[in-house]
Amino acid sequence: MDDLSAEPPSSQTEKSAASSSPEEFVDLTNNLESAESKVEAEISSPEPSDDFFDILGSETQKVEVEASVKADSGEVSIGVTDLPGGKTGSEQGTSSAAPIINLNADFSDNNQQPSRVENKTNDPLAQVLSDTPAADPKKPSSAVLDLFEDDGSDIFTGTPQTKPASQPQKGLFGEPDEDLFGEPLGAMSKKTTENEVKSSTTKAAGPASSTGGAQQDRKSTEPADIFTEEAVTTVPRTSNTSTVNSKANGVHSEEDLFTEATVELSLDSPRSGRKKEETSKPSASSSSSSLSAPAKQAKQPPAALEELEDEEEAEKEDQFDVFISVKDPEKVGESLLPGYFFFFFNSQTSLPMFRNKLMTVRRRFSDFLGLYEKLSEKHGPNGLIVPPPPEKSILGMTKVKVGKEDSSSADFLERRRGALERYLQRVVNHPMLLQDPDVREFLEKEELPRAVSTQALSGAGFLKMINKATDAVNKMTIKMNESDAWFEEKLQEVESADQHFRKLHALVESLVVHRKELSLNTANFAKSAAMLGSAEDNTALSRALSQLAEVEDKIEQLHQDQAANDTFSFAELIADYIRLLGAVRGSFDHRIKAWQRWQDGQAMLQKKRETEAKLLWANKPDKLQQAKDEIVEWEAKVTQFERDFERVSATVRKEVIRFEKQRTNNFRRQITKYLESLLQSQQQLIKYWEAFLPEAKAIA
Amino acid sequence: MMEEVKGASSFLSVQVHNIKVTEVLQDGDSLTFIIVSQKMSGTGEFHVDRTYEDFEWLQQHLFSQEDVPGIQGVIFPPLPARLQVNASSKTLRHLGFLGLGEWQPYCKALETFLRQVAAHSILSKNRAVEIFLTSSDPPGRQKVKKNIFNRLSQAVEEMRKEGHKDVDDFFQTKRDHNFLLTGYTKMAAEKFLDVVLTEQKIAVACGHFSTALHLCMEQGENPEKQDFSQVCVKLSEVFNSIKKSMTSTAMNDMNTLGLGLDLETRYQEAEKEMLFRRTCKLVELQNATKNAEKAKPVKKAVMEEAKKATETEFRQICEVAKKEIIQLESKHVETLQQALVQWCEKQLLTAKESAEVYSQHLQTFKRMQ
């Protein structure tokens, strides 16, 4: 992560923020309020927001002073208060980052928010902080770090932030920003009024303009129309951000109040000049802004669930950043020797973190499994639901490899191809997994080192693994005194959903079997109708019968398509979800493992304390010190374990909610598609019959 | 037995097109069919109840009208095979389309049989038909069915005489054609039955899927869950519609083309039997001719007599048979045409209805997004 390159843009934005800063702050607020009057009118209590303003204002000023003092170089201090142009990037960045933290902290204190919110808002900042010392080991930054720790650490420990959550920000912060923002922000820094800022943002590169658009949209509280147009013209990635905003806007009516509050906040902040979020949003490139958007929203006081939903939405929007399409497999090797298949696949993306917009690579099936293994090793313990790949099917593959070109092997390959496509799509849809270097390597690299240990995952082995995990969960649940009813309930739900899905899967499979049978029987009937027609003396009847045979042939094709549609719309979807439910259970398992570690740690600590007591009793000062050290060590460990557990729990919770949301959407999309094709085939059928009817009537 | 028939009025007192088999009454293992027919006068109806045995008797009785010239040339309307209560799937399979559903197709087939008999120019003259349709007492229930094994014995002889070269080109062609058509019609009916059976299976599978989806509903206040439950419920409705559509498609298949093909098959069989009876007579005649030629002068007169009698009979049979065949052919085209047109219309209707329902479902899902 190149921090230096990452910092400048953000610092520049802060400059721009600062430029609209203390002096003009009051005026701006007034302007804003007038501009915002409509919005505010709708907000039930505008006063609180005013208060909040003041608090913010005063706090920030304080903070800024602090920052300027602490940042020893005179330039910086001027920069914050007086906002001239050329600052040294990182210093400026960090010093301005500090205020944000304070703001957040204070703000949350004032509002008595759930601590989760702070995590989110802190995340990027924490990142900035942690980055800065490494890149720029100057004094100022460390000072800032201190500051941060003083203010934020308690909140922070309250709900430990999730590690994965911080990862994306790193990635987003990292590369993409500079090019987009270098100049426009410089221009922006001169502007002070709201409108000017906006126009400058529009002038600026795509992301910025769309953000501006989003703001405008929000103000007018219209749905995303204007905004969407804008988004179309700009880079797709930006459109994500904006969709997030616009969604938060109109779609959920119950969130209205909430949305409006957000609007106010977001508009206030550039004005008051130190609300970094808003300004850092354009600066940190649109993708980071997509993350900051929910963070910002999360500052509002709605229920925890709603924040989560918003977060979900942000994540959901992300999911179309990369489109995966797995092409027809290509066989390698002699027909009789066990060859293997290459699955070519395209991934289309506009994410700047990828070198090319369109990447085509070829991978073996085992590569896909290898990717899963790497991901589940890395992220599984953190409670992430890593999408599982399709199982290795020795029987099916052998049949295909042997080279039998029958329909069942073609069917098999098509199923596998689809399953791989969906698997990969799920991986890249996951905002955290997408950031994983292995995923990127998988998508980009020409040649991949051969995955070694996929054998362990093959076929029955894979299933066994999942089952084992389930068993382990079951066993441990008995031991574990579940403190959180939510998890208990969810686990049960997952279990029953798994059963239901299995049943559904069996039913769909049998439906598909019948469909195929129907297609076959229809073909047979078509044949015998043709024969009957040929044997018929009456010309008109004979003609009608052979027409009938043709119609039946076409209908056979319809049935066949319908069977495929059933298979790929439902059977495969449900099979995917059975696998995914396994992964969900796996994440529960990991949470319990984390709990177990914590409990073990506590037990160990207890033991050490007992030892210490014994030693004290026995009066052995030489060993006593060692024991004390150990206790300290274990205390730290237990704290760490506890945090880990809390972190994993939070992640699992978030992931499960994400999973559920995606499941509903996924099903809905799939069903819509299914119905569309069903309708289409029905209309085709109508056409066939309509064409046949005059033929039948013509028999005399 | 024949006496009562003699001199019977050639007119039935019922309207042929209004003969209906309306109901089946099940009493233990025996089934009773209620036959309703409208009086010729236009007012009032006859309600009679008949068992399958009564139908069988009627058929047999008509067969054995020895005094009607050329009776053997008649293509007798085919009576469907016996319907058994709690029949095994194998016997049901034997019944073909008639074994499907709740006996409606079977009643329909019996109805067709009665109408064909009543409409037949020769057979309707038989007094037994009138009695069968109008009298509350079943005719000849106690009578011994002497010719019941007729068909069986024919089957044995068939092997020998089937390939006998015909003297008449017309009949030779018809025989060849009939042979071909019988096979194809039978096969088409069987294949079509397979289609219908599979359609029914699909309907059942859709029903199961639809039911199972209801189990997937998740309880709770959580909007996420409610969303998902809603999706499940809607999908369940979709599959219920698919099920309904499939069921009615199968129903259409069964009631139109299915029954049509079934009737066709049985008529082809009946024609085949008639042709066979004629061939037998032909063989008999040829034998008689041979005997008459070879016969010693003493017996010559008797032989000639026998030959002449056979010849007359044969000629009568041929005469009736020719008419019957031509009539059957036009009827056959008509039956199939009707079946096809009705089938097509019904399928079209079902398809349109289904398309309408599907598009409603589609709208619902699009709105949900």
Side-chain angles (χ1 to χ4, degrees):
Chain A
M1 199 59 46
D2 47 346
D3 301 82
L4 279 170
S5 62
E7 298 314 321
S10 62
S11 74
Q12 269 162 343
T13 352
E14 265 115 45
K15 254 179 273 156
S16 76
S19 67
S20 58
S21 71
E23 304 101 313
E24 302 191 14
F25 165 36
V26 184
D27 293 352
L28 286 168
T29 328
N30 291 336
N31 286 342
L32 174 98
E33 263 162 0
S34 62
E36 237 33 45
S37 56
K38 186 175 53 173
V39 176
E40 278 188 353
E42 283 170 62
I43 300 170
S44 55
S45 57
E47 288 86 356
S49 62
D50 287 342
D51 289 348
F52 154 60
F53 246 129
D54 290 343
I55 293 156
L56 273 184
S58 54
E59 286 293 341
T60 333
Q61 269 169 338
K62 249 185 270 162
V63 172
E64 270 169 10
V65 173
E66 249 180 357
S68 64
V69 171
K70 272 180 188 162
D72 53 348
S73 74
E75 270 176 36
V76 177
S77 62
I78 298 161
V80 178
T81 44
D82 293 339
L83 37 119
K87 298 283 128 71
T88 50
S90 58
E91 281 172 330
Q92 172 71 15
T94 43
S95 63
S96 45
I100 308 177
I101 290 145
N102 277 347
L103 280 172
N104 293 340
D106 294 338
F107 172 54
S108 57
D109 286 343
N110 292 334
N111 284 297
Q112 314 225 318
Q113 280 228 280
S115 45
R116 289 177 69 79
V117 176
E118 272 84 55
N119 289 337
K120 257 170 270 144
T121 34
N122 281 340
D123 281 349
L125 301 163
Q127 202 50 56
V128 172
L129 285 170
S130 59
D131 283 346
T132 330
D136 187 16
K138 278 188 202 166
K139 243 188 287 164
S141 56
S142 59
V144 177
L145 189 64
D146 287 346
L147 189 140
F148 167 63
E149 244 150 39
D150 292 341
D151 285 336
S153 58
D154 42 349
I155 303 153
F156 182 73
T157 34
T159 13
Q161 74 186 121
T162 56
K163 197 168 86 193
S166 67
Q167 277 174 351
Q169 261 120 359
K170 207 194 275 181
L172 294 164
F173 250 64
E175 295 122 79
D177 321 347
E178 315 104 292
D179 40 356
L180 295 169
F181 277 98
E183 311 117 65
L185 286 170
M188 225 166 90
S189 64
K190 285 169 214 150
K191 325 266 165 144
T192 40
T193 62
E194 174 206 343
N195 287 333
E196 275 170 312
V197 170
K198 225 181 267 164
S199 61
S200 75
T201 24
T202 343
K203 265 180 254 157
S209 74
S210 73
T211 330
Q215 285 171 8
Q216 277 165 337
D217 260 19
R218 284 198 200 159
K219 231 187 298 154
S220 54
T221 56
E222 274 168 20
D225 291 346
I226 311 157
F227 172 55
T228 335
E229 280 164 65
E230 263 181 47
V232 173
T233 53
T234 54
V235 200
R237 187 151 126 275
T238 6
S239 79
N240 295 331
T241 327
S242 29
T243 342
V244 174
N245 298 336
S246 61
K247 249 216 180 128
N249 222 350
V251 180
H252 306 287
S253 53
E254 77 270 8
E255 282 176 39
D256 273 350
L257 192 130
F258 167 55
T259 320
E260 257 124 35
T262 319
V263 169
E264 196 184 22
L265 179 63
S266 64
L267 285 166
D268 283 353
S269 33
R271 223 54 97 37
S272 47
R274 56 239 112 62
K275 223 13 190 38
K276 260 53 189 244
E277 231 111 344
E278 185 57 36
T279 32
S280 75
K281 188 157 133 190
S283 78
S285 95
S286 60
S287 50
S288 89
S289 70
S290 78
L291 284 158
S292 69
K296 196 177 7 127
Q297 287 163 353
K299 274 189 177 176
Q300 305 307 313
L305 190 87
E306 259 176 15
E307 315 162 21
L308 282 167
E309 264 179 15
D310 270 62
E311 218 170 40
E312 288 305 285
E313 246 150 30
E315 280 167 4
K316 196 175 73 198
E317 295 323 314
D318 283 343
Q319 69 185 229
F320 294 111
D321 282 353
V322 183
F323 286 101
I324 301 288
S325 67
V326 176
K327 300 277 179 241
D328 283 341
E330 179 181 281
K331 201 176 166 194
V332 176
E334 293 301 311
S335 63
L336 283 174
L337 292 170
Y340 47 83
F341 281 87
F342 276 133
F343 291 89
F344 283 85
F345 69 90
N346 283 336
S347 28
Q348 265 181 298
T349 178
S350 52
L351 283 187
M353 64 184 226
F354 293 106
R355 270 171 295 171
N356 300 316
K357 290 212 161 147
L358 181 70
M359 296 166 282
T360 305
V361 286
R362 53 176 206 178
R363 298 284 179 254
R364 295 181 48 162
F365 181 66
S366 55
D367 294 335
F368 286 86
L369 295 186
L371 176 68
Y372 168 73
E373 211 175 322
K374 279 184 203 160
L375 291 178
S376 64
E377 241 168 59
K378 247 189 282 182
H379 300 286
N382 290 328
L384 245 59
I385 299 172
V386 181
E391 294 91 353
K392 221 172 186 174
S393 156
I394 291 167
L395 184 75
M397 211 50 204
T398 318
K399 226 170 141 190
V400 176
K401 277 175 185 167
V402 165
K404 281 262 160 39
E405 291 291 327
D406 64 348
S407 64
S408 76
S409 67
D411 195 50
F412 172 78
L413 276 182
E414 175 55 24
R415 276 187 182 217
R416 168 156 287 185
R417 189 202 64 74
L420 287 177
E421 189 174 289
R422 290 189 307 275
Y423 155 65
L424 213 53
Q425 189 68 55
R426 284 202 176 91
V427 170
V428 299
N429 282 355
H430 199 293
M432 288 156 206
L433 294 181
L434 180 59
Q435 305 304 321
D436 190 280
D438 280 324
V439 173
R440 291 160 69 176
E441 186 185 74
F442 190 82
L443 294 178
E444 282 186 314
K445 234 180 179 181
E446 279 300 318
E447 288 294 325
L448 211 60
R450 186 91 161 71
V452 220
S453 53
T454 57
Q455 286 308 315
L457 274 182
S458 66
F462 181 82
L463 280 177
K464 228 182 272 166
M465 196 183 76
I466 284 180
N467 287 339
K468 230 193 281 167
T470 328
D471 288 349
V473 171
N474 288 339
K475 270 180 220 148
M476 274 192 260
T477 327
I478 299 162
K479 275 193 280 171
M480 180 171 177
N481 182 17
E482 183 59 88
S483 52
D484 198 332
W486 188 87
F487 282 99
E488 207 169 3
E489 197 184 302
K490 275 294 163 204
L491 187 63
Q492 273 178 5
E493 272 175 30
V494 168
E495 296 281 342
S496 72
D498 183 67
Q499 276 181 8
H500 291 148
F501 275 45
R502 275 171 203 279
K503 193 175 174 204
L504 283 184
H505 189 250
L507 287 172
V508 177
E509 286 290 359
S510 80
L511 179 61
V512 169
V513 168
H514 292 320
R515 292 256 198 222
K516 284 182 178 161
E517 195 185 311
L518 180 59
S519 148
L520 192 73
N521 286 337
T522 312
N524 285 338
F525 175 62
K527 254 181 238 149
S528 56
M531 280 198 287
L532 190 62
S534 71
E536 180 56 52
D537 273 350
N538 185 303
T539 10
L541 184 58
S542 164
R543 199 180 117 90
L545 284 172
S546 45
Q547 291 281 342
L548 172 68
E550 273 174 42
V551 169
E552 288 292 314
D553 265 333
K554 285 182 199 152
I555 291 175
E556 183 231 330
Q557 190 56 45
L558 279 187
H559 288 320
Q560 212 171 315
D561 293 348
Q562 190 58 49
N565 195 11
D566 282 345
T567 309
F568 293 110
S569 291
F570 289 113
E572 291 293 273
L573 179 72
I574 292 168
D576 274 7
Y577 271 91
I578 292 171
R579 281 196 286 268
L580 275 170
L581 283 170
V584 172
R585 284 193 292 192
S587 75
F588 278 94
D589 180 28
H590 282 302
R591 174 175 168 270
I592 285 162
K593 271 187 193 149
W595 183 82
Q596 199 78 18
R597 256 200 312 278
W598 176 33
Q599 298 302 309
D600 289 351
Q602 270 182 335
M604 186 56 99
L605 181 61
Q606 192 58 36
K607 238 195 224 159
K608 297 284 175 200
R609 283 200 174 122
E610 276 165 18
T611 321
E612 187 205 18
K614 268 185 209 156
L615 286 171
L616 210 61
W617 186 255
N619 199 10
K620 286 181 181 165
D622 48 333
K623 284 184 185 170
L624 196 60
Q625 189 52 45
Q626 193 199 337
K628 273 184 175 155
D629 287 348
E630 275 179 354
I631 286 174
V632 171
E633 185 194 329
W634 276 97
E635 268 169 354
K637 269 190 193 168
V638 166
T639 321
Q640 184 57 41
F641 287 153
E642 189 179 353
R643 275 189 204 173
D644 281 351
F645 172 66
E646 296 292 344
R647 182 173 51 89
V648 171
S649 296
T651 315
V652 169
R653 192 189 269 260
K654 218 172 80 183
E655 285 280 288
V656 168
I657 290 171
R658 178 178 184 271
F659 166 79
E660 285 183 343
K661 181 126 193 158
Q662 290 211 329
R663 177 177 64 174
T664 310
N665 287 328
N666 215 331
F667 268 79
R668 216 180 283 160
R669 254 203 306 278
Q670 203 66 44
I671 293 166
T672 313
K673 243 161 71 187
Y674 178 79
L675 275 172
E676 272 165 2
S677 79
L678 194 66
L679 189 60
Q680 212 179 356
S681 94
Q682 204 67 28
Q683 272 153 358
Q684 199 60 48
L685 194 65
I686 293 174
K687 268 187 213 157
Y688 293 154
W689 286 125
E690 272 171 352
F692 180 67
L693 189 58
E695 291 288 340
K697 281 185 173 160
I699 309 168
Chain B
M1 183 170 109
M2 285 300 123
E3 275 78 358
E4 52 182 297
V5 181
K6 268 180 197 161
S9 108
S10 58
F11 297 105
L12 291 172
S13 55
V14 293
Q15 294 175 0
V16 170
H17 291 288
N18 281 319
I19 299 173
K20 277 178 187 141
V21 177
T22 52
E23 255 184 286
V24 189
L25 299 178
Q26 187 181 348
D27 178 23
D29 273 357
S30 70
L31 294 172
T32 310
F33 303 93
I34 308 293
I35 301 159
V36 178
S37 48
Q38 287 223 303
K39 282 178 185 163
M40 214 46 154
S41 51
T43 51
E45 288 175 334
F46 292 108
H47 286 255
V48 290
D49 56 321
R50 297 286 180 262
T51 59
Y52 185 77
E53 282 73 23
D54 298 331
F55 280 93
E56 225 169 18
W57 174 85
L58 179 67
Q59 169 103 345
Q60 214 49 55
H61 180 75
L62 294 173
F63 265 143
S64 44
Q65 303 179 75
E66 281 158 15
D67 55 338
V68 179
I71 187 72
Q72 300 216 43
V74 172
I75 300 173
F76 288 97
L79 183 66
R82 178 191 291 270
L83 177 68
Q84 277 166 337
V85 187
N86 308 323
S88 66
S89 57
K90 207 177 164 187
T91 30
L92 274 181
R93 174 88 204 164
H94 178 68
L95 274 174
F97 282 97
L98 305 183
L100 295 176
E102 295 275 308
W103 299 328
Q104 300 100 322
Y106 193 79
C107 290
K108 200 99 182 142
L110 285 181
E111 192 177 297
T112 318
F113 166 75
L114 285 179
R115 286 184 187 184
Q116 301 287 11
V117 169
H120 200 279
S121 55
I122 298 170
L123 300 179
S124 63
K125 284 178 189 149
N126 193 310
R127 181 102 185 93
V129 178
E130 170 77 15
I131 293 169
F132 187 90
L133 289 173
T134 56
S135 167
S136 56
D137 290 326
R141 189 175 268 183
Q142 68 289 356
K143 291 211 169 111
V144 189
K145 297 144 203 156
K146 48 179 178 180
N147 284 329
I148 191 75
F149 298 112
N150 218 9
R151 292 192 205 190
L152 279 176
S153 55
Q154 276 176 3
V156 182
E157 275 178 81
E158 205 162 350
M159 306 302 285
R160 228 159 14 99
K161 294 180 184 166
E162 186 89 299
H164 190 87
K165 185 90 179 71
D166 213 300
V167 287
D168 191 333
D169 273 351
F170 174 82
F171 284 104
Q172 185 63 49
T173 332
K174 286 300 161 201
R175 273 167 60 187
D176 293 346
H177 185 230
N178 174 264
F179 180 74
L180 209 62
L181 214 55
T182 310
Y184 286 148
T185 317
K186 202 168 184 176
M187 192 161 72
E190 272 167 16
K191 298 296 174 201
F192 196 59
L193 181 63
D194 285 342
V195 171
V196 174
L197 288 175
T198 320
E199 280 167 350
Q200 286 180 336
K201 276 193 224 162
I202 290 177
V204 171
C206 285
H208 285 166
F209 189 68
S210 170
T211 320
L213 273 169
H214 272 287
L215 296 176
C216 282
M217 280 173 58
E218 288 169 353
Q219 306 300 319
E221 296 297 301
N222 188 340
E224 252 338 289
K225 284 185 198 162
Q226 284 175 351
D227 269 9
F228 187 68
S229 298
Q230 206 193 355
V231 169
C232 284
V233 171
K234 290 285 169 207
L235 184 61
S236 166
E237 283 170 18
V238 169
F239 268 86
N240 210 21
S241 311
I242 299 177
K243 178 195 163 186
K244 274 186 196 152
S245 161
M246 247 327 155
T247 314
S248 80
T249 306
M251 202 65 131
N252 296 341
D253 287 347
M254 186 172 79
N255 286 334
T256 57
L257 191 61
L259 277 182
L261 284 173
D262 180 75
L263 184 65
E264 264 313 293
T265 316
R266 283 182 289 121
Y267 254 112
Q268 300 290 349
E269 288 288 346
E271 189 191 2
K272 194 180 196 172
E273 272 168 30
M274 186 279 287
L275 286 169
F276 177 71
R277 284 194 299 270
R278 193 195 141 270
T279 314
C280 289
K281 197 51 94 179
L282 174 67
V283 173
E284 198 184 319
L285 173 64
Q286 282 171 342
N287 286 341
T289 318
K290 245 184 259 167
N291 288 343
E293 279 166 10
K294 283 184 203 160
K296 304 222 165 82
V298 196
K299 284 185 180 172
K300 186 114 184 169
V302 187
M303 286 300 181
E304 283 290 337
E305 195 84 345
K307 183 197 143 191
K308 272 211 175 110
T310 319
E311 208 172 356
T312 327
E313 221 177 314
F314 180 68
R315 232 185 300 116
Q316 281 168 342
I317 289 175
C318 284
E319 215 173 286
V320 174
K322 230 173 210 173
K323 267 192 232 155
E324 284 279 300
I325 287 173
I326 289 162
Q327 209 175 8
L328 177 71
E329 272 174 3
S330 72
K331 206 155 61 185
H332 146 85
V333 173
E334 199 187 321
T335 314
L336 274 186
Q337 192 224 7
Q338 248 176 26
L340 284 175
V341 170
Q342 277 177 11
W343 182 49
C344 194
E345 277 168 350
K346 286 212 170 169
Q347 295 294 54
L348 206 52
L349 196 71
T350 305
K352 277 179 180 163
E353 277 170 8
S354 308
E356 177 65 26
V357 173
Y358 294 160
S359 90
Q360 273 170 17
H361 284 304
L362 184 60
Q363 292 313 313
T364 316
F365 270 98
K366 278 189 173 160
R367 266 201 302 277
M368 278 167 79
Q369 265 164 0

